[in-house]
Amino acid sequence: MDEKKENMFFKVALAESILAVLIIISVLITRFFFKSSYKAVKNWYLNNMTADIDISEIVKGAENEI
């Protein structure tokens, strides 16, 4: 049984590239054709994803779980 394993690098890179293009296209479509939805998502992103996190908040959260 001397089977060769396929090199998956190119398949994974192709899948990631297609996914990235689809995400960019969906953001652009949302931005230009659904402006109110885009503003809502943008505000959510700015409030939740770009917030500065203080390490003490993480430590307090971990202490409460223990």
Side-chain angles (χ1 to χ4, degrees), residues 3-12:
E3 296 180 16
K4 289 185 176 180
K5 291 186 178 182
E6 282 188 51
N7 186 358
M8 298 297 290
F9 175 77
F10 294 110
K11 292 180 181 179
V12 171

Side-chain angles (χ1 to χ4, degrees), residues 43-55:
N43 288 335
W44 176 85
Y45 177 81
L46 291 174
N47 289 334
N48 294 306
M49 297 300 194
T50 60
D52 290 334
I53 298 176
D54 188 15
I55 191 69

Side-chain angles (χ1 to χ4, degrees), residues 9-27:
F9 175 77
F10 294 110
K11 292 180 181 179
V12 171
L14 179 63
E16 289 177 349
S17 300
I18 291 171
L19 182 63
V21 169
L22 287 174
I23 290 171
I24 291 170
I25 289 172
S26 65
V27 168

Side-chain angles (χ1 to χ4, degrees), residues 25-38 41:
I25 289 172
S26 65
V27 168
L28 290 174
I29 287 173
T30 304
R31 182 175 182 189
F32 292 114
F33 296 111
F34 305 102
K35 294 184 185 221
S36 62
S37 298
Y38 177 77
V41 171

